[in-house]
Amino acid sequence: MPGKYTVRSSSARGGANHGWLHTFHTFSFADYYDAKFSGFGPLRVLNEDFVKPGKGFGTHPHKHYEIFSYVVRGALEHKDSMGNVENVARSWVQHTTAGTGITHSEMNASKSKKVHFLQLWAQPWESGLSPSFALKSFPDESKVGHLRPVLAPALTGKVKLNSLAELLGDDVIRINQDLYMFATIFEANGAGTRSVTHTPLGAEPSSKRKIYIHVVMDETSDGVVVNGKQTLKPGDGLFVEGVTSWETIEISAAGHQRAEFVLLDMTPID
């Protein structure tokens, strides 16, 4: 039986414009609440943030969640209570296991340009984890016409995983959840491959998965088309439920302009 596919338009998201921050919320967050969108599998937060020069999120606490930032344009200055001080620029992904508790800040590292990034939180597969930090570069050329793996489950042996988890080795950031993240760029004017195919990553061929596809906001982008049916414009998302490895998902460029998206493949367990 084929999975269920549900498009959510960019304009249907929550969010706010605070002046220094223009933010869009896929799920309930801060003052935005929608009972129908409080999470998807272990994914709890997907915010698309635009932060003005020199502004940002001052020092604040976190516990429990797996937190990761995907920088689209500009750079974030990250500081945390573990002693990490890093500039997270375009093509870099930052991951924090908040675990038993940390404090951190994320500021726009530039005094003249906005920073645009995706902020995601996922529920870990267990509580009481030790806090940790990871930072890794995923150059744009590795994403062009390709589903570039960015995140993959930690190899703890506690959870049965798809064989890809081990094959990826040190080429990804490891997180404490059965969740994978991929990033893809389709270049403008037909340069490179304009279509990719994803096979859901359950531990067994019959294992049901949840997939979420988010198209990065870009005024010049035409977005993507999924399985030749669902068109996703910049900022749109697609929820896919109940798919197994017997069902592939094809994502193609919707036009001639550049498009960038992330795909998250995860356990259906909340």
Side-chain angles (χ1 to χ4, degrees), residues 63-79:
K63 290 185 72 174
H64 187 57
Y65 286 102
E66 303 287 295
I67 302 169
F68 36 110
S69 299
Y70 180 95
V71 178
V72 178
R73 290 182 184 83
L76 284 172
E77 182 185 67
H78 170 98
K79 296 181 181 179

Side-chain angles (χ1 to χ4, degrees), residues 28-269:
S28 298
F29 189 85
D31 294 332
Y32 167 65
Y33 177 75
D34 186 328
K36 300 188 297 294
F37 295 99
S38 293
F40 188 63
L43 188 62
R44 290 293 180 270
V45 172
L46 197 163
N47 293 343
E48 188 155 15
D49 291 342
F50 298 81
V51 179
K52 283 190 172 181
K55 304 294 184 180
F57 305 90
T59 302
H60 57 282
H62 282 287
K63 290 185 72 174
H64 187 57
Y65 286 102
E66 303 287 295
I67 302 169
F68 36 110
S69 299
Y70 180 95
V71 178
V72 178
R73 290 182 184 83
L76 284 172
E77 182 185 67
H78 170 98
K79 296 181 181 179
D80 63 43
S81 54
M82 294 176 281
N84 299 292
V85 179
E86 300 284 354
N87 267 16
V88 186
R90 167 72 195 178
S91 84
W92 289 80
V93 174
Q94 176 272 126
H95 167 252
T96 298
T97 293
T100 54
I102 56 115
T103 59
H104 76 176
S105 63
E106 288 185 308
M107 306 294 292
N108 187 341
S110 172
K111 302 301 181 185
S112 60
K113 297 179 180 179
K114 285 184 181 181
V115 62
H116 172 195
F117 68 104
L118 305 180
Q119 178 187 167
L120 303 97
W121 300 6
Q123 187 95 310
W125 48 35
E126 62 181 320
S127 58
L129 293 166
S130 298
S132 63
F133 174 84
L135 181 66
K136 195 172 183 67
S137 174
F138 301 90
D140 282 357
E141 53 267 29
S142 70
K143 305 171 194 170
V144 174
H146 176 62
L147 281 164
R148 173 60 162 101
V150 173
L151 303 174
L155 302 174
T156 63
K158 297 178 182 180
V159 176
K160 189 173 182 181
L161 301 169
N162 186 278
S163 59
L164 180 68
E166 187 169 355
L167 292 173
L168 289 171
D170 297 329
D171 202 34
V172 292
I173 293 174
R174 297 289 177 172
I175 70 167
N176 297 291
Q177 184 52 271
D178 183 4
L179 181 153
Y180 302 78
M181 177 172 159
F182 300 82
T184 297
I185 296 169
F186 294 135
E187 292 286 23
N189 301 317
T193 302
R194 306 281 286 169
S195 182
V196 295
T197 300
H198 178 71
T199 301
L201 295 168
E204 303 290 345
S206 60
S207 300
K208 292 186 177 181
R209 302 291 286 180
K210 287 188 173 181
I211 310 288
Y212 184 75
I213 299 170
H214 177 80
V215 182
V216 172
M217 293 179 73
D218 183 340
E219 292 179 355
T220 65
S221 175
D222 294 322
V224 303
V225 178
V226 179
N227 291 340
K229 298 176 182 178
Q230 291 94 357
T231 298
L232 305 180
K233 297 294 185 183
D236 289 355
L238 178 68
F239 297 90
V240 184
E241 302 176 70
V243 286
T244 71
S245 62
W246 305 116
E247 182 178 355
T248 58
I249 300 170
E250 183 181 22
I251 306 106
S252 306
H256 299 292
Q257 300 304 313
R258 187 181 188 274
E260 181 173 5
F261 69 90
V262 295
L263 181 151
L264 294 106
D265 182 320
M266 67 201 95
T267 174
I269 300 171

Side-chain angles (χ1 to χ4, degrees), residues 7-27:
V7 175
R8 191 174 188 215
S9 68
S10 178
S11 61
R13 293 182 291 176
N17 190 341
H18 300 288
W20 65 272
L21 166 69
H22 196 181
T23 181
F24 300 83
H25 306 320
T26 296
F27 303 107

